[in-house]
Amino acid sequence: MLTASAWYSGASSELIDATISQLEAGNQERVIDSLKELHKEFRPSYESSNYDELVEKAVQQMTRAEEPRWEAHDQP
């Protein structure tokens, strides 16, 4: 039980850290979209929880680098 608590706390801490840093960086839409997706997929359970995987996915979505955009002046 103690291990599960530490595991859950670690994942939650990572989610909170990513949320704060991305909001401070001005990425509100990305944060909202990621949290909505996490909320949709999250199913609380003591028996089989993939909370850490869902949090990792949300954090990756929040912190992904923007795709480079091709500008007309960038092309040869």
Side-chain angles (χ1 to χ4, degrees):
M1 179 109 170
L2 185 58
T3 302
S5 179
W7 161 81
Y8 187 85
S9 295
S12 296
S13 178
E14 182 180 358
L15 179 62
I16 292 166
D17 289 344
T19 301
I20 290 169
S21 68
Q22 291 303 304
L23 288 173
E24 289 177 340
N27 297 321
Q28 289 85 352
E29 288 298 319
R30 192 183 308 164
V31 170
I32 290 169
D33 291 345
S34 298
L35 291 175
K36 283 181 179 180
E37 187 67 24
L38 174 60
H39 185 265
K40 184 172 66 174
E41 294 182 26
F42 180 59
R43 301 287 181 265
S45 169
Y46 289 107
E47 291 137 8
S48 62
S49 177
N50 61 341
Y51 181 72
D52 61 333
E53 295 168 6
L54 294 175
V55 166
E56 181 62 31
K57 181 179 173 183
V59 168
Q60 287 176 359
Q61 289 174 340
M62 281 184 212
T63 60
R64 74 180 188 279
E66 295 268 339
E67 293 293 322
R69 295 185 181 159
W70 291 98
E71 300 291 332
H73 64 274
D74 290 340
Q75 296 181 8

